Amino acid sequence: MSVTTRGALPVAAYDVTVVGAGVVGAAIARELARLPLRVALVEASDDVGAGTSKANTAILHTGFDAVPGSLEARLVRDGQRLLTAYAAESGIPVEPLGALLVAWDAEQWAALPDLADKAVRNGYRAARIIPAEEVRAREPRLGPGVRGALDVPGESVICPWTTTLAYATQAVRAGVDLHLDCRVRSIAPGDPHILATTRGPLRTRHLVNAAGLYADGIDRLLGHADFTVTPRRGQLIVFDELARDLVRHILLPVPGALGKGVLVSPTVYGNVLLGPTAEDLDDKTATGSTAEGLALLREKGRRILPALLEEEVTAVYAGLRTATEHDDYAIRAHPAQRYVTVGGIRSTGLTASMAIAAHVVELLADGGLPVTGAREPAPVRMPNLGEAFPRPYRDARMIEVDPEYGRIVCHCERVTRGEIRDAFASTIPPASPDGLRRRTRARGGRCQGFHCGAAVRALFEEVRR
C-alpha cells in the first residue's frame, strides 16, 4: 500500500486514476480496489475529505424528496442501503433519529401531500403527514405556529469524516496508490492520458473526474462543457453539547428553490447544527462565514427552536456545495476517451457515494475497463467518534490494557493520547491539526483548542520530527 505526499509520481501508467479524494472519489477508489488493476487516487490538498466532504450537514438521506426517476433518486436510494450496512461493518457512527419536515404556514402545510406523494414515487412508503399535536408531543421545544409535519422515520445522521477516511483506508490497504498534495494542472488526452500535476506527470489509461468544485474545469481539459459548477455556500452554526437535549429529530424545512433550506439537526458528536444558508457565489474558495449569513441563521433558528439560541455556540463554519445548472447529478461517460465525469454531486453525495461508485465502475467497463476477477477488500474497523457509542475514555478494559486511552488531552471532546497516537500510526495519518481533528475530535469542542491546542500541537510536532 502507498500514500505519498511529495516527490515524483510513478513512471508506469495506471489502469485507472481518480481525481479528487472527497467522499465520492474515495468511494470510487474503494470500488476499483476490488479489481486486479493499478489504481491511483490523486488529491490536490494534503488530506482526504478536506474539501466539500468535510463541511456538510452529515445526514444519511432516504431520498424521499429527490426528483422521481432521476439518477440521483436511484443512487441515493441504493446508496442509503449500502452505506448503512457499510457503516455498521466499519464502525462509522450512525444515529437513526428520523426527520420531521415541519410546516409553519398554510402554504407549507398545503405542500406536504405532494411531498408525501413524491416519497412514494421514490419508493419510500414510510413517510406520513402528522398533525400539529403529534409534532409538539414529539418536539416540545418547537417555536409557535406549527401546522403539522411530514414524518420521515428513515433519516439518520452519520460521521462524514470517518466515512471518507474509511473508504480511502480500505482502498489504500487493497493496493490503491493515494497521492496527496497533487493538483492536476493540465491533461493531454491519449492512450495513456498524461496528467501534468504539481508533482510531475502521471499516466493513466482510464480517468475518473471526481474533483468536486473543480470538476467542470477538469471536464474542459478533456474537451467537454456539459455543466458549470456554481459554488453554493452553506454557512452553519454548531451549538454546544449542552443543547443536545433540546431536539430529538432532524428538523427539516419545506424545501425552496435553492435547496432544502435551514434545518436543525443533532450530530453524532453530540452537538446541534443550525443551517445551512444557500448563497450562490463566483469564488470557489469562499468558505468564510459572514455576519449576514449568521444573522439569517439565528433568525430562522429562533422560529424553529427558540431555546437553541440561548445555548453557547461551539463553532461556525461554511461549506461550498457543487451546484450546477442541472437538477440531477452530472455523471457523464465518454467511452471513446476512457473517461467518466462525476460532477454536480450535491448534499446527497455522502449518502449516494457507494452507489455512485458502483455506477461509475459500470460506465468505465463500457469504455473497455476489464472488470473481471473482483474480490472483496479486507474490512476496516474505524475508531469511533460518535458520542452515542463507546469511546476509549470511558472503556475501563481498554484503559487497563493500554493506559494511554485513559490520559485525556482534549477535555472538551474527551480525546485521549491513545487515540491521537493511533491516528498518527494509521494508514492515512493526518498532515495537519485539522486532519487530526477529523480523526479524533481533538480541538473540536467548546473551547476550540484554547486549552488543549498547545498540547495537541506538541504531539503533532513530536510525531513529525
Side-chain angles (χ1 to χ4, degrees), residues 164-234:
T164 305
L165 188 61
Y167 291 158
T169 297
Q170 200 168 25
V172 168
R173 289 181 182 176
V176 171
D177 288 346
L178 171 61
H179 300 303
L180 299 168
D181 282 321
C182 187
R183 183 178 299 277
V184 175
R185 288 175 164 166
S186 64
I187 299 174
D191 191 4
H193 303 297
I194 301 176
L195 282 59
T197 80
T198 49
R199 292 178 51 195
L202 182 148
R203 296 165 178 81
T204 185
R205 291 212 69 235
H206 296 260
L207 181 63
V208 178
N209 168 13
L213 291 167
Y214 301 93
D216 54 347
I218 297 291
D219 214 37
R220 281 156 178 72
L221 294 177
L222 273 295
H224 307 287
D226 293 336
F227 63 95
T228 298
V229 172
T230 300
R232 181 168 293 163
R233 181 167 58 191

Side-chain angles (χ1 to χ4, degrees), residues 73-91:
R74 175 171 70 83
L75 296 180
V76 170
R77 183 172 61 249
D78 293 347
Q80 193 254 7
R81 173 179 50 81
L82 292 169
L83 182 49
T84 298
Y86 182 76
E89 173 189 283
S90 304

